[in-house]
Amino acid sequence: MNRARPLENSALRVNDGVAILLASPLIGIAVGWASGVLRDAPIGGAMYWLSLLFLSAIAYLLWCGNRFIFYWVRDRRHGGSEVVSPQRRILTVIAMAATFSAPTAYIAHHAWYWIFTNGGTNAAAIHAATALVTLTSLFFAHAYEAIHLAREQALQRRSIDEMQQQRLEGEVRALEGHLDPHFIYNALCSLGFLIETNRGRAGDYVSRLSSVYAYVTKNYTARLVGINEELAFARAFTELLKLRHGDAIQVFIPDNLPTEACSIVPMSIQIALENAAKHNDSSLDHPLSIEVRIATDDVEVFNRKSRPLAPHESHGVGLPNLSSRCQLCVGRDIAIIETNDTFLLRIPIARPEV
């Protein structure tokens, strides 16, 4: 039964054709010189150069043969389902290469002596050449296997990275899917409150909500947005808060940064403002003050705590969602520094790599 070769197998093959052509003569002649075979070569003339060519051909044949064995073993191994340890893989290739190299080198050098020395042989030189060829073959077999092991590990790491990236993408999309319904739910709750308490403000709220929601629909699936764009959205959202709470909420947001190179996850400052407004009491006599500050690596949202009039239902979408998105998209988590009287939320900024 024929087994299909994985696409990765052919992609891992070493492009060594030029190296074989250039290095084979050097290896063949070097083995002949080191083993003493060349001392028995014809002196001068065409036969001498033909003897060198023959030694080069021996090296070429052995290299190509070992290469064929190497890939034949790998193709059969990868076609099966058995998981082979790196040690066993190297030992298998070395054993097969040695089995081919030693007898081939021995026969080929005997043939060299038969052709170029009129049938005379030098057993010591042939044995030395066989040993040198076998050792050289073992070295190259090991080098080929080491190269391919490194490449396979790189492919495995890339595959793992791709799977992790796909998993992260799925997690981010799931988190993003919570943002839009969460925003609409809170907006409708605020609108319902205004309809019951101040119908005049309810109309203004709907008008401003439409422009604010345009930002939500545009950016809630974005990984990152420019920090100035997010600050502008936070100011627009602050207007919605003030329509509901009036002067009972005071929000201080800094001017735009000189550059928009810094980025932040979308709707992050808005979630922090919303969290502060939801979990703290506010009144004209004791307004809730929220301050947004731009630090070196974070956007800080600070407020003094006050106990809310009634407990608020939490759906676990606000800060937990923001925390997960910051970890996935920026690589850093939010930081919450809380005392009995104050609450500080730090939202990480993504700065461009220099």
Side-chain angles (χ1 to χ4, degrees):
M1 180 178 63
N2 292 329
R3 289 172 173 169
R5 180 190 307 162
L7 291 178
E8 292 84 355
N9 241 18
S10 58
L12 283 171
R13 291 186 184 275
V14 177
N15 185 14
D16 54 358
V18 175
I20 295 175
L21 287 174
L22 295 178
S24 294
L26 298 177
I27 295 174
I29 295 171
V31 168
W33 174 81
S35 63
V37 169
L38 278 179
R39 286 197 292 268
D40 300 324
I43 300 175
M47 290 299 291
Y48 174 77
W49 295 106
L50 286 175
S51 69
L52 295 182
L53 182 62
F54 193 91
L55 291 176
S56 301
I58 293 174
Y60 180 83
L61 171 67
L62 289 166
W63 192 331
C64 290
N66 279 291
R67 186 180 186 276
F68 172 82
I69 292 172
F70 174 81
Y71 284 116
W72 178 76
V73 172
R74 292 189 82 256
D75 291 347
R76 286 177 59 87
R77 185 175 63 221
H78 284 276
S81 58
E82 180 185 3
V83 178
V84 183
S85 66
Q87 294 83 359
R88 182 180 171 187
R89 292 162 66 172
I90 292 175
L91 289 175
T92 300
V93 172
I94 288 175
M96 296 195 70
T99 303
F100 165 76
S101 298
T104 302
Y106 185 81
I107 294 171
H109 284 89
H110 261 289
W112 184 90
Y113 271 98
W114 185 79
I115 295 172
F116 295 103
T117 64
N118 297 321
T121 59
N122 184 336
I126 292 176
H127 292 157
T130 301
L132 288 172
V133 166
T134 303
L135 290 174
T136 303
S137 299
L138 295 178
F139 170 79
F140 279 104
H142 179 79
Y144 268 86
E145 188 64 29
I147 291 171
H148 284 78
L149 281 173
R151 291 189 175 186
E152 286 176 358
Q153 290 172 356
L155 282 177
Q156 291 173 353
R157 286 194 298 268
R158 187 173 68 184
S159 177
I160 292 172
D161 290 342
E162 290 175 353
M163 288 189 293
Q164 289 178 339
Q165 182 63 30
Q166 291 173 359
R167 178 181 60 81
L168 292 177
E169 290 289 333
E171 291 180 9
V172 172
R173 283 194 294 270
L175 292 168
E176 291 166 351
H178 296 153
L179 287 179
D180 193 33
H182 178 68
F183 181 86
I184 293 174
Y185 172 81
N186 288 324
L188 291 177
C189 288
S190 296
L191 179 59
F193 173 81
L194 288 174
I195 290 174
E196 292 180 359
T197 59
N198 193 324
R199 290 182 178 271
R201 285 187 179 182
D204 292 339
Y205 187 91
V206 171
S207 176
R208 290 184 179 275
L209 178 61
S210 61
S211 61
V212 170
Y213 189 63
Y215 175 91
V216 176
T217 56
K218 174 186 175 184
N219 292 309
Y220 82 96
T221 58
R223 300 295 186 265
L224 297 168
V225 295
I227 194 166
N228 286 342
E229 189 176 2
E230 181 68 12
L231 288 171
F233 173 61
R235 295 189 192 96
F237 181 75
T238 298
E239 296 301 320
L240 293 181
L241 289 178
K242 293 184 73 65
L243 281 172
R244 172 169 179 171
H245 300 278
D247 292 334
I249 281 188
Q250 299 174 357
V251 181
F252 302 93
I253 299 177
D255 295 332
N256 286 353
L257 297 180
T259 175
E260 290 193 33
C262 299
S263 301
I264 196 170
V265 294
M267 302 175 64
S268 54
I269 301 176
Q270 173 261 325
I271 288 176
L273 297 175
E274 184 178 69
N275 182 75
K278 180 185 293 186
H279 295 287
N280 292 279
D281 184 20
S282 61
S283 65
L284 293 177
D285 294 332
H286 299 91
L288 173 64
S289 178
I290 309 173
E291 183 180 0
V292 178
R293 304 185 294 233
I294 309 297
T296 303
D297 297 312
D298 308 276
V299 172
E300 299 181 345
V301 182
F302 172 84
N303 67 271
R304 293 197 173 275
K305 295 166 61 177
S306 62
R307 183 171 298 178
L309 294 176
H312 290 269
E313 181 183 3
S314 176
H315 298 86
V317 175
L319 295 186
N321 179 288
L322 178 59
S323 171
S324 298
R325 287 192 295 133
C326 286
Q327 291 181 64
L328 294 173
C329 300
V330 182
R332 291 189 292 130
D333 198 359
I334 62 173
I336 296 176
I337 302 174
E338 188 174 7
T339 68
N340 291 333
D341 301 320
T342 61
F343 187 91
L344 174 64
L345 173 65
R346 287 177 174 163
I347 306 168
I349 293 174
R351 293 187 177 276
E353 295 183 1
V354 180

